[in-house]
Amino acid sequence: MNKGIGYVTVGDSFDGYMLIKESTKGVASNGKPFLTLILGDATGEIEAKLWDASKEDESLFIAEKIVKLAGEINQFRGKSQLKIMSVRPAQATDGVRVSDFVEKAPVEKEVLSDKLTEVIFEMDNPVLQRIVRAFIKKYQEALLTYPAASRNHHEYVSGLAHHIVSMLGIAKELHKLYPEVNKDLLYAGIILHDLGKLKELSGVVTTSYTTEGKLLGHIPMMVEEIGLMAKELQIESEEVLILQHLVLSHHGKAEWGSPKPPLVREAEILHLIDLIDAKMNMLNRALDKVKPGEYTERLFAMDNRSFYKPLFEEK
Amino acid sequence: MNKGIGYVTVGDSFDGYMLIKESTKGVASNGKPFLTLILGDATGEIEAKLWDASKEDESLFIAEKIVKLAGEINQFRGKSQLKIMSVRPAQATDGVRVSDFVEKAPVEKEVLSDKLTEVIFEMDNPVLQRIVRAFIKKYQEALLTYPAASRNHHEYVSGLAHHIVSMLGIAKELHKLYPEVNKDLLYAGIILHDLGKLKELSGVVTTSYTTEGKLLGHIPMMVEEIGLMAKELQIESEEVLILQHLVLSHHGKAEWGSPKPPLVREAEILHLIDLIDAKMNMLNRALDKVKPGEYTERLFAMDNRSFYKPLFEEK
Amino acid sequence: MNKGIGYVTVGDSFDGYMLIKESTKGVASNGKPFLTLILGDATGEIEAKLWDASKEDESLFIAEKIVKLAGEINQFRGKSQLKIMSVRPAQATDGVRVSDFVEKAPVEKEVLSDKLTEVIFEMDNPVLQRIVRAFIKKYQEALLTYPAASRNHHEYVSGLAHHIVSMLGIAKELHKLYPEVNKDLLYAGIILHDLGKLKELSGVVTTSYTTEGKLLGHIPMMVEEIGLMAKELQIESEEVLILQHLVLSHHGKAEWGSPKPPLVREAEILHLIDLIDAKMNMLNRALDKVKPGEYTERLFAMDNRSFYKPLFEEK
Amino acid sequence: MNKGIGYVTVGDSFDGYMLIKESTKGVASNGKPFLTLILGDATGEIEAKLWDASKEDESLFIAEKIVKLAGEINQFRGKSQLKIMSVRPAQATDGVRVSDFVEKAPVEKEVLSDKLTEVIFEMDNPVLQRIVRAFIKKYQEALLTYPAASRNHHEYVSGLAHHIVSMLGIAKELHKLYPEVNKDLLYAGIILHDLGKLKELSGVVTTSYTTEGKLLGHIPMMVEEIGLMAKELQIESEEVLILQHLVLSHHGKAEWGSPKPPLVREAEILHLIDLIDAKMNMLNRALDKVKPGEYTERLFAMDNRSFYKPLFEEK
Amino acid sequence: MNKGIGYVTVGDSFDGYMLIKESTKGVASNGKPFLTLILGDATGEIEAKLWDASKEDESLFIAEKIVKLAGEINQFRGKSQLKIMSVRPAQATDGVRVSDFVEKAPVEKEVLSDKLTEVIFEMDNPVLQRIVRAFIKKYQEALLTYPAASRNHHEYVSGLAHHIVSMLGIAKELHKLYPEVNKDLLYAGIILHDLGKLKELSGVVTTSYTTEGKLLGHIPMMVEEIGLMAKELQIESEEVLILQHLVLSHHGKAEWGSPKPPLVREAEILHLIDLIDAKMNMLNRALDKVKPGEYTERLFAMDNRSFYKPLFEEK
Amino acid sequence: MNKGIGYVTVGDSFDGYMLIKESTKGVASNGKPFLTLILGDATGEIEAKLWDASKEDESLFIAEKIVKLAGEINQFRGKSQLKIMSVRPAQATDGVRVSDFVEKAPVEKEVLSDKLTEVIFEMDNPVLQRIVRAFIKKYQEALLTYPAASRNHHEYVSGLAHHIVSMLGIAKELHKLYPEVNKDLLYAGIILHDLGKLKELSGVVTTSYTTEGKLLGHIPMMVEEIGLMAKELQIESEEVLILQHLVLSHHGKAEWGSPKPPLVREAEILHLIDLIDAKMNMLNRALDKVKPGEYTERLFAMDNRSFYKPLFEEK
């Protein structure tokens, strides 16, 4: 049995099932067509070339299909590549399902849902609580399945909810250490800060940007949504404005997409908690794939740094 | 009779009425209280010190009162200052009104209103026209009296409408030169782009920033307003999104407050027209105050440049 | 009959004539030589590989030759590529001329020339008029055929004159809206601002940079030329200095190649008009190639943005 | 009885004791000498002018002396200033001590010391523990009394220890949420990261920079100290290098004084925890001085932002 | 006898002659006029206030007059200021001349002239030599008396020639160490690189910027001059272009005023030699005024750094 | 007989020996393995592909082996590539040694060593001399063989010593021109400034970065080493701190790796001398490979500029 594709190294052979994530036709230098496949399972992705692809191959090996492959891991321009020995579409009798080949949050959807409910229950400010409840109700299903991004961090099924719940964990502890922090405001801000992504990203499976996402972005879209929701709930107190500000400023700087920087204590702390959880998610997953004494691959969203795992780390 | 305070030079004497725009109490090095007054009329502003101010003076010489002064223009740390010889509050019998001491657009309110109406009448796209009409109706009065900014450009009564109408003039001509430009979209974008300022700025007379203005800013506020208005008018076509994008991107860059850069042709051209009209307004007013062969004062919003008026310019 | 190569999409077949713009020899992974051809017609360019190229092929398929090709449009690393099925040099009997395969301004040379004459005729300042006339006379032919740049905007035959004439159109209208603008100075600045490109660029057909262009650049070269011309015409009034300043500052900022920023009103407005016309030229040509609901290719000279064409745009 | 000077507002009168923090002689515009005094107590600072200062005044009112003052709070160039009505040096019989007028950490020195001991006790890695213990022993006294900086955050007696202990609190919780984090390494990094300040800053009372601090800075100084300490303790394992890296990189970026960015997970998290605690310290102290609905003064070390305290905050 | 004003410290008294460099009228807070004088001698400058200035004072104490003063050095807002005890205009019988109160290069004009002649004599390339000779002849007098700048470095009589001669000294040695360097080209570039300042700066005594200097700057002006001179001398070889490039690029970067960076070896080395000589001039003069163990004042043109003079430096 | 590989141009044939510097396995589009070889001799490097590589080839053609090749120089993606016609491992009887294929400083090791000794002998300050002697003794062998960098400048055997000796040459001359410079301090700084590279780089032959080099960098490592050495030599005078500062600041700016900018005169001059020698080394070697009238390849470490060699340069 194979370990996941995220864990193979150059020279390994591979024999098993993977999901086709992308399939692009090309023409080789000998004039014959080939397919470039992005294949994946729940642990990672790899590129492969299917040389001399027939018309039939082109129709069989398309995105969101599962295939059975045998091959070897090579290196090409510094990246791993699967050299295909044999490949065929998976069949009903193979008993494999798409959902098994998609990366998922390490925490179950139900657990994430319970944690959210619990936190909302702890909130004392009735206005903030009402707004949050209304959004949870409106987006219940999407909120529990969407990724938090199309790549970089929490880019997996239930990634958004996982990110929110991790952030709430940090918020709870920071509130204990700094009791001046308004817990309810911070909780509400965390839960709502990225909900605009439900409209900015196209879906759970193949995650691209919607036109609305490209032209407005999730931040102004969510500011508007809070305004509409408050109108619907007939709420007019200052909490609405402050919540909008938390969402608006959570990227921290104009260059990073927040037209206003944090100007309220909880906005600043929300920005910092967002940074920590995103970075820990990227770092832990990258370091998990290397051994002590080695460096991770370069992490694009962390200034392209390659991190070192000290020799004295337990495996 | 005095020329306006915006045209005096060091050494001139002054005898006339001005409006107190700000009045701040200080204590001189001899321990006695004094008032720092910012005085103005329709042509400009000047600072003055009222030494040895009595308790009565403090209550008489306050913001938004008109005073009669005689004095001389001195220089202090490179800026003009009025040395007060005599000062008294204006009286009913003086026949002066606050509205005479406030800078106003060089075009009458009624003319601006007519031009707006005319442009809206020319629009062919019914969706864009409906949205624009709804906003004009909602903000009619404020739109025709507000300044376009608290300083730098069009910072006078009816400045916003003046700015909009000038921009519409440029748009009309550019549309003739580049017929690919969608005239209706561009007109709608120009009329709405700065309407958020009606909520961002506190008022016509003493213009400061509202809390909402500080925490959200006029751009996201207007994006939200367009969303709400569309909902009210039950409009769901793409024009709404594109209009929101025009407003969102009209500052051109994230660093300048637009989380998305212009990504639609008319958004780009709106941004450029906004630049031209703001710069021409600043430049023309500054150059109007100097003679050929001289330099203007440094213009903060134009990278602090000091502009030269060539010798061959007609006065 | 084919539509132009600028309008084909992946999957189309192509059968017709194109001009070879570049031809470079390479060696394939099977050790055999091949040619990389950049082919073009009046609507655009495409790359093609000629595999297994013989010595004869190498001598036949060289830059500035016309070829007849049949083939299919493929995609390679995200860019279109023509897969050649058959190719032969064009023959005398084919009746095709190089000039038919070069992109040209959408306005005739004669029309551009007339417009220039007309504008010069409108100038009242005799000094500015004399200098402008002298340059027009000196560069008449080149001025009417050169491109305005080697790529990005107005990079076609008569591109420079087209750019100048468009800018003059904007200037005329802005002068009406802002009568303070010195029309003559602005017209003179527009006509001369890019004439240095006649020496910076190597020619109309294959446009590269001259040594002089690389080591000095068109801006300082033109400042010098104005100085020399004034000397020749024995003009010593301030107009010369101000014209040199307009040329020197027209890129707006030191980082963009202007050692002095605009410090005269018409210099500022010249810079803005230059921006508008260059951007509209790029935008209109890129949007012309996509359908409503689609995005343009990334435009390098516009911060690599990809623009959206709204669904409600008429085709 | 007065509230602390950090809590007075313009118009208040003041009658009580303060410590002179700085005293500078000047000459007034009437040619007479005066003293500019920076006065402070445990809650804040204020400037005052002592006009017509005699030679005796100059010798009496010097830094680190306590004075008894009566006066009124005025505003001068936007900052509060104390207008002195009467002033005299404090006398033995007044029963006031310098230590009462210096700001101190809100946690007692003994408590901070106990917390440190407790954390070190929890460490499992013997190498890291030995190094940390050696430093604690070497700097015991200074570590418990020094400020963490000369201004901005934790700039009070025991500020450094307070900062360390707060950071350890965050580290403990983050370790629970992200168990991959190496707790011992992170604890050691936190305790040592700013110890170089004990040599960079001149002292507890009047905190300026030493020559060594100016020419090398606390970061390279501490990297060197860890090297020397390891040599002394005859430790050669990789922990030394990694600890040096944590100290070296804790400012996060080259521009901020870290020649290497964090390249080890715990280095990244140390940098983030440092940010959070410094920011919370600045924010909480600034917000503590304003009422709901008001803005704080501009916070220089937080990009000069002025923070808003929402109306719904409990006082 | 006084030491020069550049060497006094706070608390010193002063009794002697100085030149008035600037005189500005102001009005004191008691309503009486005063004069702000910038006074100087060959070693430095100081500010002084002349309180209660009469109309006669205003006409006596003007720029370029010598005065006899007695007074004391005070500190005002962190800068030294002379408190005037007595002051009178210098008289014929005092035997003082303006030229004694102006800072001059530490090397005699004649010596600088000889060095230049010597270097030109060493040049082998006849074209470069002819151009250089022609400029020396054209500007002989100004070249030997002008400063190299209005402030920062070599801002004294004969500063430009001093700067050129120092740079030639470095060039000579670098040519020995790197014989690949074209000595003649480098010498010519050094002699001409800043000659544009003769037109950019208004004069030797009170050095401000000319209109031409503000609108074009010395670099494009000198590029033009070389072109005109070459035309006059009927030289057309590539040396002209390369010399223009050396002048154009000698500031090193577009942001620093060079539209093209150095693209020829000698252009790069010219830029570096210019940097060294300017920096050494600033540094040596600033360090000359402080004692071992002290810091210089902040040097604006060296990134506002304050330099340390080590204790082990001989005085 | 071949000229070195650094001097071939496209179209040349090559027949001779080269050293394999890197060998990487790949898989071609036909599914067959190939080797990418980086080959070099004392004059430069070139890439080559060995197609259809057998298992035996993979074991024969590895890094640090010499091979005999015949082939032709082609162009691939704008870079030269050797097309291999025949290749075999060098044999004992070929009489070739690895040391003949490695680039070396143009000055002999012994000469460099003598120059260093001579300079140290000239130093008068006993403290600086002792420290320098101790380091020379400690690192004698490595110091004379290491490169100064892994690429860009002085990246050859004895490159570090060559760099140091060239810099000392410049220092000597600048000291004559600016006698205020402390010669001993500058000499000591130059000799020590890059010694940290002996630990940062992995070795002379295949130069990569050590873990210590990656996590700390040569600058902080050398600052620490000076501290340790001073402790060992029981030196406590200020020279130690100043030397550490010279090393710490020699990159000039925080962004370039120096947490403190130069704050001592000799630190500033050391930084400038380092720049000159590194740039002259890169420039001279690049220009040596092109003919008059040509441009060098783009030089990455010189802002990617391509330098021009004037026509009037002697070959």
Side-chain angles (χ1 to χ4, degrees), chain D residues 2-18:
Chain D
N2 278 298
K3 50 190 166 183
I5 197 70
Y7 295 91
V8 298
T9 54
V10 174
D12 285 5
S13 62
F14 180 93
D15 189 348
Y17 297 92
M18 279 197 281

Side-chain angles (χ1 to χ4, degrees), chain C residues 187-306:
Chain C
Y187 284 178
I190 287 173
I191 296 172
L192 303 191
H193 83 292
D194 265 354
L195 287 199
K197 294 208 170 174
L198 302 180
K199 288 192 174 167
E200 188 187 43
L201 300 176
S202 62
V204 176
V205 197
T206 60
T207 304
S208 62
Y209 285 83
T210 61
T211 296
E212 200 179 4
K214 281 183 185 164
L215 297 189
L216 298 181
H218 71 279
I219 285 184
M221 276 151 69
M222 192 60 199
V223 169
E224 181 188 340
E225 279 231 43
I226 295 175
L228 285 161
M229 183 64 87
K231 195 145 222 173
E232 235 167 70
L233 301 175
Q234 292 176 296
I235 297 175
E236 289 198 352
S237 58
E238 207 186 55
E239 277 89 344
V240 180
L241 169 63
I242 303 299
L243 252 187
Q244 287 181 309
H245 173 68
L246 260 73
V247 170
L248 187 73
S249 67
H250 85 267
H251 280 189
K253 279 195 187 185
E255 299 88 295
W256 302 337
S258 282
K260 293 286 176 184
L263 294 175
V264 163
R265 174 171 29 205
E266 289 71 21
E268 182 69 21
I269 197 94
L270 167 59
H271 168 59
L272 291 166
I273 292 176
D274 193 15
L275 269 187
I276 291 179
D277 189 53
K279 291 188 168 188
M280 290 311 288
N281 187 262
M282 287 186 273
L283 263 179
N284 287 343
R285 289 158 73 209
L287 283 164
D288 188 40
K289 295 187 178 167
V290 303
K291 304 204 194 71
E294 292 180 354
Y295 285 83
T296 66
E297 57 176 346
R298 295 196 168 278
L299 302 180
F300 176 77
M302 293 187 77
D303 309 311
N304 230 16
R305 281 175 277 164
S306 170

Side-chain angles (χ1 to χ4, degrees), chain F residues 273-284:
Chain F
I273 292 176
D274 194 14
L275 271 188
I276 292 180
D277 190 51
K279 290 188 167 188
M280 289 309 290
N281 187 263
M282 286 186 272
L283 262 181
N284 287 342

Side-chain angles (χ1 to χ4, degrees), chain E residues 166-174 273 276-277, chain F residues 174 177-178:
Chain E
S166 293
M167 286 176 69
L168 289 169
I170 306 177
K172 196 167 200 165
E173 300 308 329
L174 287 181
I273 292 175
I276 291 180
D277 190 52
Chain F
L174 288 180
L177 294 165
Y178 305 104

Side-chain angles (χ1 to χ4, degrees), chain B residues 125 166 169-170 173-174 177-178 180-182 185 238-239 242 261-266 268-269 272 276-277 279-280 283-284 287 302 305-308 310-313, chain C residues 125 166 169-170 173-174 177-178 180-182 185 238-239 242 261-266 268-269 272 276-277 279-280 283-284 287 302 305-308 310-313:
Chain B
N125 181 312
S166 293
I170 305 177
E173 299 308 329
L174 288 181
L177 293 165
Y178 305 104
E180 300 90 335
V181 169
N182 185 321
L185 178 57
E238 208 188 53
E239 277 89 344
I242 303 298
L263 294 175
V264 163
R265 175 172 29 206
E266 288 71 20
E268 181 71 21
I269 196 92
L272 290 167
I276 291 179
D277 189 52
K279 290 187 168 188
M280 290 310 289
L283 263 181
N284 288 342
L287 282 164
M302 294 188 77
R305 280 177 279 164
S306 171
F307 279 77
Y308 179 69
L311 289 168
F312 56 87
E313 284 300 334
Chain C
N125 181 313
S166 293
I170 305 177
E173 300 308 330
L174 288 180
L177 294 164
Y178 305 104
E180 300 90 334
V181 169
N182 184 323
L185 178 58
E238 207 186 55
E239 277 89 344
I242 303 299
L263 294 175
V264 163
R265 174 171 29 205
E266 289 71 21
E268 182 69 21
I269 197 94
L272 291 166
I276 291 179
D277 189 53
K279 291 188 168 188
M280 290 311 288
L283 263 179
N284 287 343
L287 283 164
M302 293 187 77
R305 281 175 277 164
S306 170
F307 279 77
Y308 179 69
L311 289 167
F312 57 85
E313 283 300 332

Side-chain angles (χ1 to χ4, degrees), chain D residues 147-163:
Chain D
S150 68
R151 53 193 188 113
N152 293 330
H153 77 94
H154 298 92
E155 72 280 26
Y156 42 68
V157 174
S158 302
L160 180 56
H162 186 219
H163 183 38

Side-chain angles (χ1 to χ4, degrees), chain F residues 61-77:
Chain F
F61 301 116
I62 58 175
E64 308 202 12
K65 291 286 172 196
I66 301 173
V67 287
K68 181 156 201 311
L69 295 116
E72 205 184 280
I73 312 305
N74 290 144
Q75 183 124 22
F76 184 67
R77 296 178 194 278

Side-chain angles (χ1 to χ4, degrees), chain A residues 170 173 178 180-182 238 262-265 268-269 276-277 279-280 284 305 307-308 310-311 313, chain D residues 170 173 178 180-182 238 262-265 268-269 276-277 279-280 284 305 307-308 311 313:
Chain A
I170 305 177
E173 299 309 329
Y178 305 103
E180 299 90 335
V181 168
N182 184 323
E238 207 186 53
L263 294 174
V264 163
R265 175 171 30 206
E268 180 71 21
I269 197 93
I276 292 179
D277 190 51
K279 290 189 167 188
M280 290 310 289
N284 288 342
R305 280 176 279 164
F307 280 77
Y308 180 68
L311 290 168
E313 282 301 333
Chain D
I170 305 177
E173 299 309 330
Y178 305 104
E180 300 89 336
V181 169
N182 184 322
E238 207 186 54
L263 294 175
V264 163
R265 174 170 29 206
E268 181 71 21
I269 197 92
I276 292 179
D277 190 52
K279 291 188 168 187
M280 291 309 289
N284 288 343
R305 279 176 280 165
F307 280 77
Y308 180 69
L311 290 167
E313 283 301 332

